[in-house]
């Protein structure tokens, strides 16, 4: 039963990743593209955690935490660049 749930979750998050990739490529404004990039990071983290559950190892959870931190910092940096024109004052 858990196999079917994992396959369904993989399909849903994979479709979400492709949809946000389309939004990233065709977003009309920079804010839309930043939001799409942040959503892509979240979907990728979800896929990585699902893969960790499927394999039964904990290493993917640690990798997902590192990706989450990098994703947050990159989103904040992009937003600051859009608002102020520079990242470091």
């Amino acid at each position: 039963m858990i196999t079917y749930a994992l396959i369904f979750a993989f399909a849903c998050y994979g479709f979400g990743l492709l949809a946000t990739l389309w939004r990233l490529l065709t977003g009309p404004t920079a804010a839309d593209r930043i939001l799409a990039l942040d959503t892509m990071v979240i979907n990728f983290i979800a896929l990585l955690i699902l893969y960790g559950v499927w394999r039964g190892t904990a290493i993917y959870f640690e990798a997902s935490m590192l990706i989450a931190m990098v994703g947050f910092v990159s989103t904040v940096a992009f937003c600051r660049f859009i608002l102020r024109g520079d990242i470091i004052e």
Side-chain angles (χ1 to χ4, degrees):
M1 187 68 183
I2 190 72
T3 304
Y4 295 122
L6 285 174
I7 290 171
F8 180 73
F10 273 121
C12 289
Y13 282 110
F15 177 72
L17 190 66
L18 291 176
T20 53
L21 179 66
W22 179 78
R23 187 63 169 174
L24 179 69
L25 295 175
T26 63
T29 64
D32 291 331
R33 291 183 175 156
I34 291 171
L35 185 61
L37 186 64
D38 192 42
T39 307
M40 280 183 67
V41 169
I42 291 170
N43 284 334
F44 182 72
I45 290 168
L47 285 173
L48 200 59
I49 289 174
L50 287 173
Y51 187 71
V53 169
W54 183 54
R55 299 287 296 183
T57 63
I59 191 71
Y60 296 105
F61 297 110
E62 296 172 6
S64 65
M65 288 186 64
L66 290 173
I67 292 172
M69 286 190 290
V70 170
F72 174 74
V73 170
S74 66
T75 301
V76 170
F78 280 136
C79 289
R80 283 190 70 150
F81 182 74
I82 294 295
L83 288 175
R84 297 184 182 173
D86 61 349
I87 297 172
I88 299 172
E89 296 180 42

